Amino acid sequence: MKIKAASAWSAAQSEEFYGFKRWGANHFSVDSEGFVQVQPLADGRTVRLMDVVDEATSMGLKAPLVIRMQDTLRHRVTQLNEVFRKAIKDEGYKGDYRGVFPIKVNQLREVVDEVVSAGKDFNYGLEAGSKPELMIALAMHEGGQRLIICNGYKDKDYMRLALLGRKLGKKVIIVIEQLSEVDSIIEISKETGVKPMIGFRVKLQTRGEGKWAMSTGDNAKFGLNTAEILFAVEKLRAAKMQQCLRLVHFHIGSQVPNIITIKAAVTEAARFYCQLAKMGFPMGYLDVGGGLGIDYDGSRTNFESSMNYTVGEYARDVVFNIREICEASGVKVPDIVTESGRAVAAPHSMLVVEVFERINKHESLGKQHQPKSRHKIVDDLAVLLKNKARLGRLERFHDALQKKEEAFSLFNLGYLDLENRAAAEQIFWQICEQIDKESDKAGYQPEELHDLKKLLADQYVCNFSVFQSLLDSWALKQLFPITPLHRLKEKPTVNAVLVDITCDSDGKVDRFIDLQDVKDYMTLHPLKPGQPYYLGIYLTGAYQDIMGDLHNLFGRVNEVHVFLEDDEPNGYYIEEALAGSRVSEVIEGVQYQWEELCRKIKQQIDHATKKDLIKPREGVRLVEFYEAQMQAKTYLNIEQNGKRKR
Ligand SMILES: *Cc1c(COP(=O)(O)O)cnc(C)c1O
């Protein structure tokens, strides 16, 4: 019997169920028709995401698809700057805010372009952590007031590039990460005759929480400890370059979940700043690095996928603590630099994946398997299934587990045939489902029975690669909010985990956001034959685009850049469409030439034709097919039988 559930559910219930309001920060909601809509500027203008997916599909850009909302990016840059302006005004702070965008978070030209353009009125600058990033920053940067902050390990050419920027009148600050860089910068300054602007990255003792807690302290990879700072100071003095020291920098790691950590780090760094200022260095900037979080799970806690503060609170705490320390030390307050990357970039893009298959343990075993002669073990299990009232849930579960193990042993020893093994497995899963249903009605769940839910969850197979598009989910166990993009007027009834199409058992998403801790499965809609089912994975604009790799040679995915446009019927237009990698492109990346492969295949087909293994006409067709596949995308080309409907 199928339970008809659709009627007792509403779009509003879905909105609550998937937590849109909590993690979506006013940007995401569900419309009355049950479709997810995005509000890039949080100003009431919305775009239905399925419209974008449909339009992209009609352009030949099927899922997996990255949707980049350029307006959201602009909105975040504006928001961050305005929040700091307000904090500075409210606190009566005498310095300015001079934020920079760390390019490593998302190097895509359209992203950097948008950030530079959005930051024009705020003198919002760029941060580079490597030579290639600096080369982007130098060329894309505009204006004499905006900063370029140079972090990361540097060779002499990196420093020469930074000084090239100085020659062009740009405020380029070289942040010293290790003592040897002081010698290099002195040397290059002499060589070029350009006076650099220098910052010191200090190794703070303040230890954070979250995944990047090891970015500070004695074993941190970057920064100068106290003794090294004093050495560096002497070196600059000896070279008569005191006037070059302008900035103190720290970075305590990304996604700092607890505001207490931020307060402590800012306080410690402000002390360093004041001491150096009192030693007679000109200074002028205090750079508090990145770390500003994103509330991926919407819980507003200090859990690692969340943050227990708002951007406003962050700005006020940074401004307030710097002012307090400077006042107490009698030092003029600095301009404040932040390098927030994740907080600026994460919300602007999302990934759309298509679920095309469901793997279900119990159904696929087939209820029809009635062995001709039933083995006793199957009878035992059947008794457990039938006499459910006799034993408690937990005891029944243990008994069933024991019988299942026994059945496998019997099979291995040759005492159980395939039919009986199938029957045993099938009855076992039926018992599990039965226990699980009873558990739903009971209050307290013993842990084993709770885990049963995960055990019983389906696997929804999605046409994408975790390693290409959601690397941090695998590498760092980072959580991202995930929801269906449509059908949200229907009650979700299927517990599932997501698996990708790589041949890697790690290629899956089986940890999901929850208000408490982490959920092992999510609840989705049953798949309907012939109808695509799309999921949105949100807040993926930071780091995921560039960290992804070519595992199994699944290449870059399709991508569209969306702008709000009141004159368009659906309220938006696609400004740019980037086609994902073709097979020929990814195999060239591993040193094959696709023409060469085509030639080799043609030779083999010709040979087979000569030997009459293939008919000449078919041979021609096969050569053409192979060649055409070279230009195909790397992901599955899902051919739906019947009409596509959503
Ligand atoms: C990565 C990095 C950032 C960006 O950090 P977020 O947490 O993404 O804001 C800022 N500064 C430095 C030095 C970094 O290495």
Side-chain angles (χ1 to χ4, degrees):
M1 185 190 73
K2 272 249 178 317
I3 303 162
K4 199 158 171 286
S7 56
W9 193 259
S10 69
Q13 274 170 295
S14 283
E15 192 170 87
E16 171 61 25
F17 182 72
Y18 291 110
F20 282 94
K21 286 268 152 59
R22 289 185 292 272
W23 54 260
N26 300 324
H27 289 301
F28 295 95
S29 53
V30 181
D31 68 20
S32 57
E33 304 282 297
F35 292 96
V36 178
Q37 52 183 3
V38 57
Q39 224 185 110
L41 295 175
D43 65 352
R45 287 185 290 169
T46 56
V47 174
R48 189 183 269 190
L49 287 167
M50 275 308 295
D51 288 343
V52 179
V53 173
D54 287 344
E55 187 176 343
T57 304
S58 72
M59 296 161 77
L61 304 176
K62 289 195 218 169
L65 173 74
V66 164
I67 300 179
R68 221 174 269 296
M69 306 297 304
Q70 295 290 103
D71 298 283
T72 305
L73 191 55
R74 177 166 286 270
H75 183 65
R76 293 296 288 189
V77 171
T78 310
Q79 235 184 356
L80 179 69
N81 279 281
E82 279 175 351
V83 154
F84 265 95
R85 274 196 180 170
K86 181 165 187 314
I88 280 174
K89 188 154 163 275
D90 291 351
E91 294 292 334
Y93 190 84
K94 295 277 170 6
D96 282 329
Y97 173 64
R98 287 279 180 270
V100 291
F101 176 73
I103 295 181
K104 79 155 188 268
V105 174
N106 199 318
Q107 298 96 338
L108 191 76
R109 180 176 53 77
E110 287 85 347
V111 170
V112 173
D113 240 348
E114 196 72 43
V115 167
V116 169
S117 156
K120 187 164 187 290
D121 296 338
F122 305 103
N123 287 317
Y124 189 63
L126 294 170
E127 185 263 4
S130 65
K131 216 184 316 185
E133 287 180 1
L134 176 59
M135 295 180 75
I136 293 173
L138 284 171
M140 301 294 285
H141 170 272
E142 298 163 0
Q145 287 309 306
R146 305 193 195 194
L147 299 178
I148 296 179
I149 303 279
C150 303
N151 289 319
Y153 287 109
K154 304 166 195 72
D155 62 10
K156 289 183 179 164
D157 286 337
Y158 184 133
M159 295 190 185
R160 288 186 186 105
L161 281 166
L163 295 188
L164 180 160
R166 288 295 292 148
K167 279 208 172 162
L168 295 175
K170 296 178 189 291
K171 285 209 162 108
V172 185
I173 303 184
I174 298 174
V175 177
I176 302 292
E177 305 262 13
Q178 42 176 350
L179 207 48
S180 63
E181 290 179 5
V182 182
D183 300 320
S184 305
I185 190 67
I186 290 171
E187 195 185 314
I188 308 286
S189 172
K190 289 214 176 98
E191 169 194 301
T192 56
V194 181
K195 283 271 181 265
M197 296 172 83
I198 294 176
F200 286 164
R201 176 164 183 170
V202 298
K203 238 179 215 171
L204 298 183
Q205 281 302 314
T206 304
R207 190 50 69 79
E209 291 167 33
K211 293 191 191 296
W212 283 270
M214 297 310 285
S215 305
T216 57
D218 297 327
N219 292 325
K221 182 168 131 183
F222 294 113
L224 305 174
N225 64 30
T226 323
E228 287 167 335
I229 285 178
L230 292 174
F231 280 128
V233 156
E234 279 166 29
K235 283 174 193 272
L236 287 184
R237 281 214 174 107
K240 300 216 175 346
M241 284 172 61
Q242 294 97 308
Q243 292 308 308
C244 297
L245 185 59
R246 303 299 302 277
L247 173 145
V248 163
H249 171 276
F250 74 87
H251 173 66
I252 51 171
S254 205
Q255 184 67 15
V256 176
N258 196 340
I259 190 70
I260 302 292
T261 314
I262 308 245
K263 290 176 197 265
V266 168
T267 302
E268 190 183 348
R271 290 281 177 209
F272 273 100
Y273 179 90
C274 290
Q275 295 264 337
L276 286 165
K278 283 182 151 178
M279 287 164 81
F281 294 99
M283 307 310 288
Y285 299 99
L286 177 53
D287 182 345
V288 304
L292 177 57
I294 283 282
D295 194 358
Y296 291 99
D297 65 24
S299 68
R300 277 293 291 281
T301 59
N302 62 352
F303 188 58
E304 61 188 21
S305 57
S306 184
M307 58 197 275
N308 66 359
Y309 54 94
T310 61
V311 181
E313 185 178 353
Y314 173 84
R316 277 192 299 281
D317 276 341
V318 169
V319 172
F320 173 83
N321 284 292
I322 295 175
R323 195 198 60 199
E324 287 280 292
I325 306 283
C326 288
E327 261 176 18
S329 315
V331 167
K332 183 172 177 291
V333 295
D335 285 348
I336 297 172
V337 183
T338 72
E339 303 172 347
S340 300
R342 181 187 301 275
V344 169
H348 90 280
S349 83
M350 59 173 292
L351 177 73
V352 177
V353 300
E354 179 173 353
V355 184
F356 66 98
E357 181 82 71
R358 161 184 184 222
I359 302 173
N360 174 298
K361 303 181 188 68
H362 16 130
E363 278 178 16
S364 63
L365 291 172
K367 307 215 156 119
Q368 318 308 330
H369 286 274
Q370 293 298 345
K372 276 169 226 77
S373 71
R374 254 156 78 124
H375 192 280
K376 179 172 178 303
I377 194 86
V378 177
D379 287 332
D380 291 351
L381 277 160
V383 168
L384 270 177
L385 179 68
K386 217 159 136 201
N387 296 348
K388 61 176 176 179
R390 251 192 41 226
L391 300 173
R393 282 178 289 147
L394 203 52
E395 187 170 351
R396 220 166 349 126
F397 179 56
H398 291 152
D399 287 358
L401 265 183
Q402 188 205 356
K403 291 289 172 202
K404 186 185 73 165
E405 292 305 320
E406 227 177 288
F408 287 161
S409 301
L410 287 168
F411 178 79
N412 288 347
L413 293 170
Y415 295 120
L416 201 67
D417 59 17
L418 274 181
E419 297 270 301
N420 272 289
R421 177 174 162 149
E425 284 183 38
Q426 174 236 321
I427 300 173
F428 171 77
W429 287 115
Q430 276 183 313
I431 296 170
C432 288
E433 278 193 325
Q434 191 186 62
I435 294 172
D436 185 52
K437 283 223 178 67
E438 290 168 40
S439 299
D440 283 344
K441 289 179 219 131
Y444 171 73
Q445 300 266 25
E447 189 158 332
E448 282 166 289
L449 295 189
H450 180 79
D451 291 349
L452 198 54
K453 276 237 179 302
K454 182 175 184 184
L455 212 59
L456 286 170
D458 284 355
Q459 288 170 312
Y460 269 30
V461 190
C462 307
N463 190 13
F464 85 121
S465 159
V466 164
F467 305 95
Q468 170 64 243
S469 299
L470 211 59
L471 194 85
D472 282 347
S473 165
W474 169 68
L476 298 167
K477 300 270 164 273
Q478 194 195 306
L479 305 181
F480 294 90
I482 302 174
T483 78
L485 288 185
H486 52 151
R487 292 178 61 186
L488 291 164
K489 274 163 69 175
E490 293 169 42
K491 184 175 182 169
T493 52
V494 182
N495 293 336
V497 301
L498 309 181
V499 297
D500 75 4
I501 56 169
T502 64
C503 304
D504 190 318
S505 45
D506 269 358
K508 63 182 176 192
V509 181
D510 60 358
R511 301 169 84 252
F512 302 94
I513 62 163
D514 197 18
L515 286 182
Q516 264 108 40
D517 213 358
V518 174
K519 233 176 151 167
D520 299 326
Y521 55 87
M522 66 181 301
T523 310
L524 296 168
H525 302 95
L527 301 182
K528 292 184 187 166
Q531 294 186 24
Y533 186 57
Y534 292 107
L535 301 178
I537 306 176
Y538 307 87
L539 310 179
T540 57
Y543 301 108
Q544 306 316 297
D545 286 310
I546 203 68
M547 305 269 282
D549 61 45
L550 292 177
H551 197 3
N552 268 148
L553 296 186
F554 289 116
R556 291 195 69 85
V557 304
N558 294 324
E559 179 170 329
V560 290
H561 301 171
V562 170
F563 278 91
L564 281 174
E565 175 55 62
D566 295 339
D567 292 340
E568 293 287 335
N570 292 329
Y572 76 92
Y573 72 102
I574 291 177
E575 190 237 19
E576 183 124 40
L578 310 178
S581 311
R582 297 179 185 284
V583 172
S584 57
E585 290 161 4
V586 296
I587 67 177
E588 298 231 317
V590 281
Q591 296 283 61
Y592 300 92
Q593 287 183 325
W594 66 268
E595 296 96 333
E596 169 81 13
L597 296 190
C598 288
R599 219 164 18 245
K600 279 178 188 278
I601 281 295
K602 185 168 183 311
Q603 268 170 12
Q604 292 176 47
I605 290 176
D606 286 349
H607 193 69
T609 312
K610 281 207 190 85
K611 286 175 111 182
D612 225 12
L613 299 169
I614 296 177
K615 295 255 158 7
R617 194 180 289 275
E618 194 188 4
V620 172
R621 205 173 47 76
L622 289 176
V623 169
E624 279 171 6
F625 175 68
Y626 184 89
E627 287 174 356
Q629 283 300 303
M630 272 296 172
Q631 303 313 323
K633 303 283 171 57
T634 56
Y635 293 89
L636 301 192
N637 176 25
I638 298 166
E639 299 172 39
Q640 302 270 0
N641 301 321
K643 266 221 292 261
R644 275 172 85 96
K645 216 169 76 172
R646 60 179 214 218

